[in-house]
Amino acid sequence: MTSERRPSLAVVGATGAVGTVLLGLLSSRRDVWGEIRLVASARSAGRTLTVRGEPAEVVALREEAFDGIDVAVFDVPDPVAAQWAPIAAAKGVVVVDNSAVFRPAEDVPLVVPEVNAPAARIRPRGIVASPNCTVLTLVNGLAALHSEYGLTELAVASYQAASDAGQRGVDTLREQIRQVAGTGVGEQTGDLRAVVTEHGPFPAPLALNAVPWSGSARADGWSSEELGLRDQPRKILGLPDLRVFATCVRIPVVTGHSLAVHAVFEREVTRARAQEILREAPGVVLFDNPEAGEFPTPNDVVGTDPTWVGRVRRSLDDPTALDLFLCGDNLRKGAALNIVQIAELVAAELTPAG
Amino acid sequence: MTSERRPSLAVVGATGAVGTVLLGLLSSRRDVWGEIRLVASARSAGRTLTVRGEPAEVVALREEAFDGIDVAVFDVPDPVAAQWAPIAAAKGVVVVDNSAVFRPAEDVPLVVPEVNAPAARIRPRGIVASPNCTVLTLVNGLAALHSEYGLTELAVASYQAASDAGQRGVDTLREQIRQVAGTGVGEQTGDLRAVVTEHGPFPAPLALNAVPWSGSARADGWSSEELGLRDQPRKILGLPDLRVFATCVRIPVVTGHSLAVHAVFEREVTRARAQEILREAPGVVLFDNPEAGEFPTPNDVVGTDPTWVGRVRRSLDDPTALDLFLCGDNLRKGAALNIVQIAELVAAELTPAG
Ligand SMILES: NC(=O)c1ccc[n+]([C@@H]2O[C@H](COP(=O)([O-])OP(=O)(O)OC[C@H]3O[C@@H](n4cnc5c(N)ncnc54)[C@H](OP(=O)(O)O)[C@@H]3O)[C@@H](O)[C@H]2O)c1
Ligand SMILES: NC(=O)c1ccc[n+]([C@@H]2O[C@H](COP(=O)([O-])OP(=O)(O)OC[C@H]3O[C@@H](n4cnc5c(N)ncnc54)[C@H](OP(=O)(O)O)[C@@H]3O)[C@@H](O)[C@H]2O)c1
């Protein structure tokens, strides 16, 4: 295949937290792309970034940025995606979007390549959506178990990292850690609010704390993140009646989301067979030998592609249920990697086999 | 009542993390005690601590330490409790024990005063056990809801603080926080294991991490802490068939345990009524207005007595279920406070009303 026949890619939001990881992935994965064009706000236009080992200049987001582009990945705030994804799609560009805007739309597929790759081909609006990072931490492992056992119910508690609130989340946590190091915070007398000066994107101090809130407020006390953990797995797995109970909590970790999951199935499970399924599941690493200190932690998974699954147990009071602990890098599979994988699916479809 | 008629108390483990908080409580609560004798290992004998504003010398644990004592609270490692609680009880001392040793025993009551105070009167072995700290974070809120709705099932994920691994746990986390402050740990390239030199009582680095393990290994992949979250609420609430699914996780918080709970009941629930029940429940504070940033975090509860409950939601796919987030100080209600409360129950029983 000559380089002329390769599809061209626009990376919209190339300067962001997800965009940065995405450029790294494009530089290290098998290269299927012709031109790669970097796009961000007018503030960043003219900056030079590196992709595939070569310098590339950032251009401002405007209609002409999509001229000659086959596929555009969007890693930008929701309002920017809402405005610009349809503009790119109207020009015939296939848009792969990482915002929350298009995930619920019936005429936009929500895709995790290991689970529902064919769905990416049916895109009436020219847009394919990628799930959010907590959902992506969950779904590869659960999809594999679902194929064998038939998933009916999930109770999920999240342990989310600061970096899913972007670079500002990371900087805020880092600064708070510097502020609390060496203080008596968390002892009977120490109060974080006296030491930590900036909450940044979080509603409470995060260092040495746990903050049971992520996303924006929805009816009846729910957060958008918790509703996403119900709506998105339902759509991806094709299980509109899946019962989901979620509580989303942020903890002082820089990168790496974790989930404690109680999963109920139609059929009886065994621990040994569940471990076998997870060992063979695409995009999953089984790391499960607690007696030997083997269980996934966020620190183990940072910078890796798969979802790591451990603490696999058959539930004591329900032979059709499993209890599990899952970890994934929220900036890789949780964001940039899934988008790149979807974009590569589209590229393969656009490229005549040869 | 003259001071002669007041019961005498021995505090066994007075020098420990729980013992220290306990002495503080004894100094600030309504004083029902005659002599208070401080007991620890021979290593600490002769040290002077302060209780009720007065200096008191620590004596070594031996049989004579219980001479003239009515009630003894034990906050010592399991093997020490296993050996010495029966010795004290044989001398007619009522033992209130905080170790894991006696909790499962059928002839030892397991008591949370707000929930099952009368059980403390029936103690064939002269021993009353106090639940562990995760159970104590759970039980006051759930017991109140149970009285109204009839509890049938719990799925629990814990967010446990370092201090329930004793002073060594606190020191380890503090040192790790100092080590990671200012480093790039948790970025794509930063690895905790390169920066953190000591794991202390934890099986993996805890700063900027989440460690899905607490307690010791049991059959089929379970931890003792997770089995405790099933066995102890069953015993306290008198619900031998309660279905419990738990995953226990340690996070980098100094003090303050949190729990994300999915609770299923016999009857339909409403959010408003559940909030009302929790607002009136003894030992519980309702703190639940997420739109206004009101939800409990470990930092809010350190140094306070009650369990704080927030994020109260009726489950979306089950009208008989609630999702909640609870926080409590693991050294106060989670340990020292519950023991003091039990000891005060016993003291009231021993003291002729007057
Ligand atoms: N972080 C995660 O774990 C995660 C996971 C899943 C989904 N997401 C989603 O991915 C998107 C990006 O997240 P992030 O964490 O990378 O955010 P970020 O670090 O704040 O980066 C935002 C990016 O959007 C660009 N941008 C902002 N306003 C723009 C405008 N008006 N026109 C053009 N470009 C604009 C920025 O360019 P400038 O540098 O020029 O401002 C930057 O490249 C969001 O929708 C987020 O919800 C993030
Ligand atoms: N920390 C929590 O959140 C928590 C919660 C619930 C239950 N507990 C339980 O409470 C108990 C104490 O925990 P902790 O965190 O306070 O532990 P800790 O800080 O290590 O204190 C242990 C105490 O036991 C004493 N001790 C140790 N060996 C002894 C011996 N051979 N003879 C006499 N005294 C001895 C120590 O005295 P020296 O100072 O003289 O060594 C010290 O006073 C444990 O059973 C623990 O599982 C703890």
PDB file of all heavy atoms in Angstrom, chain B residues 13-19 40-41 43-44 61 75-78 80 98-99 103 131-133 163-167 330-331 334-335, ligand 2:
ATOM      1  N   GLY B  13      -3.962  -1.791  76.349  1.00  0.00           N
ATOM      2  CA  GLY B  13      -3.556  -1.260  75.043  1.00  0.00           C
ATOM      3  C   GLY B  13      -3.646   0.257  75.046  1.00  0.00           C
ATOM      4  O   GLY B  13      -3.883   0.877  74.013  1.00  0.00           O
ATOM      5  N   ALA B  14      -3.435   0.863  76.204  1.00  0.00           N
ATOM      6  CA  ALA B  14      -3.629   2.315  76.359  1.00  0.00           C
ATOM      7  C   ALA B  14      -2.652   3.131  75.531  1.00  0.00           C
ATOM      8  O   ALA B  14      -2.908   4.300  75.236  1.00  0.00           O
ATOM      9  CB  ALA B  14      -3.495   2.693  77.840  1.00  0.00           C
ATOM     10  N   THR B  15      -1.541   2.540  75.135  1.00  0.00           N
ATOM     11  CA  THR B  15      -0.512   3.279  74.396  1.00  0.00           C
ATOM     12  C   THR B  15      -0.684   3.216  72.887  1.00  0.00           C
ATOM     13  O   THR B  15       0.079   3.856  72.150  1.00  0.00           O
ATOM     14  CB  THR B  15       0.883   2.708  74.733  1.00  0.00           C
ATOM     15  OG1 THR B  15       0.835   1.297  74.490  1.00  0.00           O
ATOM     16  CG2 THR B  15       1.252   2.973  76.176  1.00  0.00           C
ATOM     17  N   GLY B  16      -1.656   2.436  72.394  1.00  0.00           N
ATOM     18  CA  GLY B  16      -1.798   2.225  70.951  1.00  0.00           C
ATOM     19  C   GLY B  16      -2.580   3.332  70.264  1.00  0.00           C
ATOM     20  O   GLY B  16      -2.991   4.314  70.891  1.00  0.00           O
ATOM     21  N   ALA B  17      -2.784   3.151  68.923  1.00  0.00           N
ATOM     22  CA  ALA B  17      -3.525   4.146  68.131  1.00  0.00           C
ATOM     23  C   ALA B  17      -4.954   4.252  68.655  1.00  0.00           C
ATOM     24  O   ALA B  17      -5.469   5.362  68.875  1.00  0.00           O
ATOM     25  CB  ALA B  17      -3.527   3.748  66.651  1.00  0.00           C
ATOM     26  N   VAL B  18      -5.620   3.131  68.871  1.00  0.00           N
ATOM     27  CA  VAL B  18      -6.990   3.150  69.381  1.00  0.00           C
ATOM     28  C   VAL B  18      -6.987   3.588  70.843  1.00  0.00           C
ATOM     29  O   VAL B  18      -7.808   4.410  71.264  1.00  0.00           O
ATOM     30  CB  VAL B  18      -7.658   1.770  69.229  1.00  0.00           C
ATOM     31  CG1 VAL B  18      -9.064   1.782  69.836  1.00  0.00           C
ATOM     32  CG2 VAL B  18      -7.729   1.353  67.759  1.00  0.00           C
ATOM     33  N   GLY B  19      -6.039   3.067  71.632  1.00  0.00           N
ATOM     34  CA  GLY B  19      -5.953   3.423  73.045  1.00  0.00           C
ATOM     35  C   GLY B  19      -5.822   4.920  73.259  1.00  0.00           C
ATOM     36  O   GLY B  19      -6.432   5.502  74.174  1.00  0.00           O
ATOM     37  N   ALA B  40      -0.475  -1.790  79.315  1.00  0.00           N
ATOM     38  CA  ALA B  40       0.102  -2.042  77.986  1.00  0.00           C
ATOM     39  C   ALA B  40       1.160  -3.138  78.151  1.00  0.00           C
ATOM     40  O   ALA B  40       1.147  -3.869  79.149  1.00  0.00           O
ATOM     41  CB  ALA B  40       0.678  -0.769  77.379  1.00  0.00           C
ATOM     42  N   SER B  41       2.050  -3.261  77.170  1.00  0.00           N
ATOM     43  CA  SER B  41       3.079  -4.303  77.296  1.00  0.00           C
ATOM     44  C   SER B  41       4.131  -3.877  78.320  1.00  0.00           C
ATOM     45  O   SER B  41       4.185  -2.702  78.722  1.00  0.00           O
ATOM     46  CB  SER B  41       3.747  -4.544  75.938  1.00  0.00           C
ATOM     47  OG  SER B  41       4.705  -3.534  75.699  1.00  0.00           O
ATOM     48  N   ARG B  43       7.014  -3.296  77.758  1.00  0.00           N
ATOM     49  CA  ARG B  43       7.830  -2.238  77.145  1.00  0.00           C
ATOM     50  C   ARG B  43       7.398  -0.852  77.608  1.00  0.00           C
ATOM     51  O   ARG B  43       8.209   0.069  77.697  1.00  0.00           O
ATOM     52  CB  ARG B  43       7.684  -2.275  75.617  1.00  0.00           C
ATOM     53  CG  ARG B  43       8.237  -3.494  74.924  1.00  0.00           C
ATOM     54  CD  ARG B  43       8.029  -3.408  73.393  1.00  0.00           C
ATOM     55  NE  ARG B  43       6.620  -3.522  72.998  1.00  0.00           N
ATOM     56  CZ  ARG B  43       5.960  -4.663  72.861  1.00  0.00           C
ATOM     57  NH1 ARG B  43       6.568  -5.821  73.117  1.00  0.00           N
ATOM     58  NH2 ARG B  43       4.692  -4.688  72.486  1.00  0.00           N
ATOM     59  N   SER B  44       6.093  -0.682  77.821  1.00  0.00           N
ATOM     60  CA  SER B  44       5.558   0.642  78.156  1.00  0.00           C
ATOM     61  C   SER B  44       5.385   0.864  79.649  1.00  0.00           C
ATOM     62  O   SER B  44       5.029   1.976  80.070  1.00  0.00           O
ATOM     63  CB  SER B  44       4.194   0.836  77.488  1.00  0.00           C
ATOM     64  OG  SER B  44       4.300   0.679  76.103  1.00  0.00           O
ATOM     65  N   LEU B  61       0.877  -5.662  81.446  1.00  0.00           N
ATOM     66  CA  LEU B  61      -0.221  -6.631  81.422  1.00  0.00           C
ATOM     67  C   LEU B  61       0.209  -7.914  82.138  1.00  0.00           C
ATOM     68  O   LEU B  61       1.087  -8.644  81.670  1.00  0.00           O
ATOM     69  CB  LEU B  61      -0.590  -6.932  79.958  1.00  0.00           C
ATOM     70  CG  LEU B  61      -1.687  -7.976  79.723  1.00  0.00           C
ATOM     71  CD1 LEU B  61      -2.982  -7.579  80.443  1.00  0.00           C
ATOM     72  CD2 LEU B  61      -1.954  -8.142  78.236  1.00  0.00           C
ATOM     73  N   ASP B  75      -7.715  -3.179  73.651  1.00  0.00           N
ATOM     74  CA  ASP B  75      -7.337  -2.692  72.319  1.00  0.00           C
ATOM     75  C   ASP B  75      -5.927  -3.137  72.025  1.00  0.00           C
ATOM     76  O   ASP B  75      -4.994  -2.325  72.008  1.00  0.00           O
ATOM     77  CB  ASP B  75      -7.409  -1.164  72.277  1.00  0.00           C
ATOM     78  CG  ASP B  75      -8.824  -0.716  72.095  1.00  0.00           C
ATOM     79  OD1 ASP B  75      -9.387  -1.038  71.046  1.00  0.00           O
ATOM     80  OD2 ASP B  75      -9.356  -0.085  73.020  1.00  0.00           O
ATOM     81  N   VAL B  76      -5.761  -4.413  71.815  1.00  0.00           N
ATOM     82  CA  VAL B  76      -4.437  -5.014  71.653  1.00  0.00           C
ATOM     83  C   VAL B  76      -4.481  -5.984  70.474  1.00  0.00           C
ATOM     84  O   VAL B  76      -5.564  -6.330  69.991  1.00  0.00           O
ATOM     85  CB  VAL B  76      -4.048  -5.788  72.932  1.00  0.00           C
ATOM     86  CG1 VAL B  76      -3.815  -4.823  74.094  1.00  0.00           C
ATOM     87  CG2 VAL B  76      -5.114  -6.810  73.300  1.00  0.00           C
ATOM     88  N   PRO B  77      -3.351  -6.420  69.966  1.00  0.00           N
ATOM     89  CA  PRO B  77      -3.343  -7.385  68.861  1.00  0.00           C
ATOM     90  C   PRO B  77      -4.121  -8.663  69.227  1.00  0.00           C
ATOM     91  O   PRO B  77      -4.208  -9.035  70.398  1.00  0.00           O
ATOM     92  CB  PRO B  77      -1.853  -7.672  68.661  1.00  0.00           C
ATOM     93  CG  PRO B  77      -1.154  -6.452  69.185  1.00  0.00           C
ATOM     94  CD  PRO B  77      -1.994  -5.969  70.325  1.00  0.00           C
ATOM     95  N   ASP B  78      -4.628  -9.335  68.176  1.00  0.00           N
ATOM     96  CA  ASP B  78      -5.462 -10.525  68.378  1.00  0.00           C
ATOM     97  C   ASP B  78      -4.869 -11.560  69.337  1.00  0.00           C
ATOM     98  O   ASP B  78      -5.576 -12.040  70.237  1.00  0.00           O
ATOM     99  CB  ASP B  78      -5.774 -11.194  67.025  1.00  0.00           C
ATOM    100  CG  ASP B  78      -6.788 -10.397  66.213  1.00  0.00           C
ATOM    101  OD1 ASP B  78      -7.220  -9.324  66.690  1.00  0.00           O
ATOM    102  OD2 ASP B  78      -7.142 -10.847  65.110  1.00  0.00           O
ATOM    103  N   VAL B  80      -2.831 -11.310  71.775  1.00  0.00           N
ATOM    104  CA  VAL B  80      -2.814 -10.806  73.149  1.00  0.00           C
ATOM    105  C   VAL B  80      -4.232 -10.861  73.730  1.00  0.00           C
ATOM    106  O   VAL B  80      -4.440 -11.300  74.873  1.00  0.00           O
ATOM    107  CB  VAL B  80      -2.241  -9.371  73.197  1.00  0.00           C
ATOM    108  CG1 VAL B  80      -2.186  -8.864  74.638  1.00  0.00           C
ATOM    109  CG2 VAL B  80      -0.863  -9.311  72.549  1.00  0.00           C
ATOM    110  N   ASN B  98     -11.931  -5.412  71.448  1.00  0.00           N
ATOM    111  CA  ASN B  98     -11.938  -4.824  70.111  1.00  0.00           C
ATOM    112  C   ASN B  98     -11.188  -5.685  69.099  1.00  0.00           C
ATOM    113  O   ASN B  98     -11.022  -5.285  67.952  1.00  0.00           O
ATOM    114  CB  ASN B  98     -11.279  -3.434  70.181  1.00  0.00           C
ATOM    115  CG  ASN B  98     -11.552  -2.608  68.953  1.00  0.00           C
ATOM    116  OD1 ASN B  98     -12.548  -2.820  68.277  1.00  0.00           O
ATOM    117  ND2 ASN B  98     -10.663  -1.666  68.662  1.00  0.00           N
ATOM    118  N   SER B  99     -10.716  -6.843  69.479  1.00  0.00           N
ATOM    119  CA  SER B  99      -9.979  -7.673  68.521  1.00  0.00           C
ATOM    120  C   SER B  99     -10.964  -8.497  67.690  1.00  0.00           C
ATOM    121  O   SER B  99     -12.169  -8.497  67.929  1.00  0.00           O
ATOM    122  CB  SER B  99      -9.032  -8.608  69.262  1.00  0.00           C
ATOM    123  OG  SER B  99      -9.744  -9.728  69.768  1.00  0.00           O
ATOM    124  N   ARG B 103     -15.414 -12.073  68.060  1.00  0.00           N
ATOM    125  CA  ARG B 103     -16.600 -11.617  67.324  1.00  0.00           C
ATOM    126  C   ARG B 103     -17.469 -12.746  66.805  1.00  0.00           C
ATOM    127  O   ARG B 103     -18.688 -12.653  66.869  1.00  0.00           O
ATOM    128  CB  ARG B 103     -16.169 -10.707  66.158  1.00  0.00           C
ATOM    129  CG  ARG B 103     -15.643  -9.360  66.617  1.00  0.00           C
ATOM    130  CD  ARG B 103     -15.036  -8.578  65.443  1.00  0.00           C
ATOM    131  NE  ARG B 103     -14.361  -7.371  65.898  1.00  0.00           N
ATOM    132  CZ  ARG B 103     -13.311  -6.824  65.279  1.00  0.00           C
ATOM    133  NH1 ARG B 103     -12.817  -7.387  64.180  1.00  0.00           N
ATOM    134  NH2 ARG B 103     -12.763  -5.734  65.757  1.00  0.00           N
ATOM    135  N   PRO B 131     -17.498  -4.667  67.008  1.00  0.00           N
ATOM    136  CA  PRO B 131     -17.247  -4.983  65.587  1.00  0.00           C
ATOM    137  C   PRO B 131     -16.019  -4.252  65.045  1.00  0.00           C
ATOM    138  O   PRO B 131     -15.494  -3.351  65.699  1.00  0.00           O
ATOM    139  CB  PRO B 131     -18.501  -4.476  64.878  1.00  0.00           C
ATOM    140  CG  PRO B 131     -19.510  -4.206  65.933  1.00  0.00           C
ATOM    141  CD  PRO B 131     -18.761  -3.928  67.189  1.00  0.00           C
ATOM    142  N   ASN B 132     -15.607  -4.635  63.862  1.00  0.00           N
ATOM    143  CA  ASN B 132     -14.466  -3.914  63.290  1.00  0.00           C
ATOM    144  C   ASN B 132     -14.916  -2.604  62.662  1.00  0.00           C
ATOM    145  O   ASN B 132     -16.114  -2.293  62.590  1.00  0.00           O
ATOM    146  CB  ASN B 132     -13.636  -4.816  62.364  1.00  0.00           C
ATOM    147  CG  ASN B 132     -14.146  -4.822  60.937  1.00  0.00           C
ATOM    148  OD1 ASN B 132     -15.187  -4.257  60.630  1.00  0.00           O
ATOM    149  ND2 ASN B 132     -13.429  -5.480  60.068  1.00  0.00           N
ATOM    150  N   CYS B 133     -13.947  -1.820  62.207  1.00  0.00           N
ATOM    151  CA  CYS B 133     -14.230  -0.424  61.849  1.00  0.00           C
ATOM    152  C   CYS B 133     -15.070  -0.284  60.581  1.00  0.00           C
ATOM    153  O   CYS B 133     -15.887   0.639  60.488  1.00  0.00           O
ATOM    154  CB  CYS B 133     -12.927   0.351  61.731  1.00  0.00           C
ATOM    155  SG  CYS B 133     -11.622  -0.543  60.880  1.00  0.00           S
ATOM    156  N   SER B 163      -5.051   4.442  58.959  1.00  0.00           N
ATOM    157  CA  SER B 163      -4.938   4.301  60.416  1.00  0.00           C
ATOM    158  C   SER B 163      -5.619   3.058  60.945  1.00  0.00           C
ATOM    159  O   SER B 163      -5.431   2.721  62.112  1.00  0.00           O
ATOM    160  CB  SER B 163      -5.473   5.546  61.132  1.00  0.00           C
ATOM    161  OG  SER B 163      -6.838   5.720  60.854  1.00  0.00           O
ATOM    162  N   ASP B 164      -6.404   2.329  60.109  1.00  0.00           N
ATOM    163  CA  ASP B 164      -6.892   1.092  60.699  1.00  0.00           C
ATOM    164  C   ASP B 164      -5.824   0.005  60.630  1.00  0.00           C
ATOM    165  O   ASP B 164      -6.040  -1.087  61.152  1.00  0.00           O
ATOM    166  CB  ASP B 164      -8.268   0.678  60.170  1.00  0.00           C
ATOM    167  CG  ASP B 164      -8.256  -0.238  59.006  1.00  0.00           C
ATOM    168  OD1 ASP B 164      -7.501   0.048  58.059  1.00  0.00           O
ATOM    169  OD2 ASP B 164      -8.992  -1.210  59.002  1.00  0.00           O
ATOM    170  N   ALA B 165      -4.674   0.327  60.088  1.00  0.00           N
ATOM    171  CA  ALA B 165      -3.518  -0.543  60.265  1.00  0.00           C
ATOM    172  C   ALA B 165      -2.623  -0.008  61.390  1.00  0.00           C
ATOM    173  O   ALA B 165      -1.404  -0.249  61.393  1.00  0.00           O
ATOM    174  CB  ALA B 165      -2.741  -0.659  58.961  1.00  0.00           C
ATOM    175  N   GLY B 166      -3.206   0.722  62.341  1.00  0.00           N
ATOM    176  CA  GLY B 166      -2.458   1.195  63.511  1.00  0.00           C
ATOM    177  C   GLY B 166      -1.524   2.355  63.202  1.00  0.00           C
ATOM    178  O   GLY B 166      -1.506   2.884  62.081  1.00  0.00           O
ATOM    179  N   GLN B 167      -0.740   2.750  64.177  1.00  0.00           N
ATOM    180  CA  GLN B 167       0.156   3.890  64.019  1.00  0.00           C
ATOM    181  C   GLN B 167       1.164   3.642  62.897  1.00  0.00           C
ATOM    182  O   GLN B 167       1.549   4.564  62.174  1.00  0.00           O
ATOM    183  CB  GLN B 167       0.883   4.170  65.352  1.00  0.00           C
ATOM    184  CG  GLN B 167       1.606   5.502  65.402  1.00  0.00           C
ATOM    185  CD  GLN B 167       0.691   6.684  65.088  1.00  0.00           C
ATOM    186  OE1 GLN B 167      -0.421   6.769  65.611  1.00  0.00           O
ATOM    187  NE2 GLN B 167       1.129   7.569  64.204  1.00  0.00           N
ATOM    188  N   ASN B 330     -12.697   5.979  61.723  1.00  0.00           N
ATOM    189  CA  ASN B 330     -12.418   4.581  62.080  1.00  0.00           C
ATOM    190  C   ASN B 330     -11.754   4.430  63.440  1.00  0.00           C
ATOM    191  O   ASN B 330     -11.743   3.346  64.012  1.00  0.00           O
ATOM    192  CB  ASN B 330     -11.560   3.898  61.005  1.00  0.00           C
ATOM    193  CG  ASN B 330     -10.320   4.689  60.658  1.00  0.00           C
ATOM    194  OD1 ASN B 330     -10.410   5.814  60.181  1.00  0.00           O
ATOM    195  ND2 ASN B 330      -9.167   4.110  60.908  1.00  0.00           N
ATOM    196  N   LEU B 331     -11.182   5.493  63.967  1.00  0.00           N
ATOM    197  CA  LEU B 331     -10.563   5.400  65.299  1.00  0.00           C
ATOM    198  C   LEU B 331     -11.567   5.759  66.405  1.00  0.00           C
ATOM    199  O   LEU B 331     -11.370   5.391  67.552  1.00  0.00           O
ATOM    200  CB  LEU B 331      -9.344   6.315  65.391  1.00  0.00           C
ATOM    201  CG  LEU B 331      -8.195   5.985  64.435  1.00  0.00           C
ATOM    202  CD1 LEU B 331      -7.047   6.961  64.625  1.00  0.00           C
ATOM    203  CD2 LEU B 331      -7.711   4.550  64.615  1.00  0.00           C
ATOM    204  N   GLY B 334     -15.465   3.850  64.844  1.00  0.00           N
ATOM    205  CA  GLY B 334     -14.919   2.618  64.281  1.00  0.00           C
ATOM    206  C   GLY B 334     -14.097   1.804  65.261  1.00  0.00           C
ATOM    207  O   GLY B 334     -13.705   0.675  64.958  1.00  0.00           O
ATOM    208  N   ALA B 335     -13.808   2.320  66.434  1.00  0.00           N
ATOM    209  CA  ALA B 335     -13.013   1.552  67.402  1.00  0.00           C
ATOM    210  C   ALA B 335     -13.248   2.079  68.813  1.00  0.00           C
ATOM    211  O   ALA B 335     -14.084   1.564  69.553  1.00  0.00           O
ATOM    212  CB  ALA B 335     -11.532   1.587  67.028  1.00  0.00           C
TER     213      ALA B 335
HETATM  214  N1  LIG C   2      -6.964   1.073  64.260  1.00  0.00           N
HETATM  215  C1  LIG C   2      -8.242   0.769  63.981  1.00  0.00           C
HETATM  216  O1  LIG C   2      -8.931   1.457  63.188  1.00  0.00           O
HETATM  217  C2  LIG C   2      -8.877  -0.413  64.619  1.00  0.00           C
HETATM  218  C3  LIG C   2     -10.234  -0.539  64.448  1.00  0.00           C
HETATM  219  C4  LIG C   2     -10.874  -1.625  65.017  1.00  0.00           C
HETATM  220  C5  LIG C   2     -10.165  -2.535  65.735  1.00  0.00           C
HETATM  221  N2  LIG C   2      -8.834  -2.393  65.923  1.00  0.00           N
HETATM  222  C6  LIG C   2      -8.158  -3.390  66.737  1.00  0.00           C
HETATM  223  O2  LIG C   2      -7.759  -2.778  67.948  1.00  0.00           O
HETATM  224  C7  LIG C   2      -6.558  -3.389  68.395  1.00  0.00           C
HETATM  225  C8  LIG C   2      -5.472  -2.352  68.608  1.00  0.00           C
HETATM  226  O3  LIG C   2      -5.264  -1.647  67.382  1.00  0.00           O
HETATM  227  P1  LIG C   2      -4.297  -0.362  67.289  1.00  0.00           P
HETATM  228  O4  LIG C   2      -4.498   0.174  65.928  1.00  0.00           O
HETATM  229  O5  LIG C   2      -4.503   0.532  68.459  1.00  0.00           O
HETATM  230  O6  LIG C   2      -2.815  -1.040  67.419  1.00  0.00           O
HETATM  231  P2  LIG C   2      -1.438  -0.403  67.891  1.00  0.00           P
HETATM  232  O7  LIG C   2      -1.397   1.067  67.615  1.00  0.00           O
HETATM  233  O8  LIG C   2      -0.374  -1.249  67.326  1.00  0.00           O
HETATM  234  O9  LIG C   2      -1.461  -0.602  69.519  1.00  0.00           O
HETATM  235  C9  LIG C   2      -1.368  -1.883  70.122  1.00  0.00           C
HETATM  236  C10 LIG C   2      -1.527  -1.802  71.645  1.00  0.00           C
HETATM  237  O10 LIG C   2      -1.463  -3.119  72.179  1.00  0.00           O
HETATM  238  C11 LIG C   2      -0.401  -3.159  73.133  1.00  0.00           C
HETATM  239  N3  LIG C   2       0.270  -4.455  73.112  1.00  0.00           N
HETATM  240  C12 LIG C   2       0.903  -5.041  72.071  1.00  0.00           C
HETATM  241  N4  LIG C   2       1.420  -6.231  72.454  1.00  0.00           N
HETATM  242  C13 LIG C   2       1.127  -6.377  73.755  1.00  0.00           C
HETATM  243  C14 LIG C   2       1.402  -7.385  74.735  1.00  0.00           C
HETATM  244  N5  LIG C   2       2.065  -8.497  74.413  1.00  0.00           N
HETATM  245  N6  LIG C   2       0.932  -7.199  75.974  1.00  0.00           N
HETATM  246  C15 LIG C   2       0.264  -6.092  76.314  1.00  0.00           C
HETATM  247  N7  LIG C   2      -0.023  -5.108  75.462  1.00  0.00           N
HETATM  248  C16 LIG C   2       0.400  -5.245  74.187  1.00  0.00           C
HETATM  249  C17 LIG C   2       0.536  -2.065  72.755  1.00  0.00           C
HETATM  250  O11 LIG C   2       1.308  -1.709  73.893  1.00  0.00           O
HETATM  251  P3  LIG C   2       2.854  -1.201  73.710  1.00  0.00           P
HETATM  252  O12 LIG C   2       2.749   0.232  73.278  1.00  0.00           O
HETATM  253  O13 LIG C   2       3.391  -1.371  75.086  1.00  0.00           O
HETATM  254  O14 LIG C   2       3.472  -2.100  72.689  1.00  0.00           O
HETATM  255  C18 LIG C   2      -0.430  -0.982  72.335  1.00  0.00           C
HETATM  256  O15 LIG C   2      -0.979  -0.326  73.449  1.00  0.00           O
HETATM  257  C19 LIG C   2      -6.242  -4.461  67.370  1.00  0.00           C
HETATM  258  O16 LIG C   2      -6.849  -5.672  67.757  1.00  0.00           O
HETATM  259  C20 LIG C   2      -6.923  -3.953  66.118  1.00  0.00           C
HETATM  260  O17 LIG C   2      -7.209  -4.978  65.199  1.00  0.00           O
HETATM  261  C21 LIG C   2      -8.169  -1.341  65.387  1.00  0.00           C
END
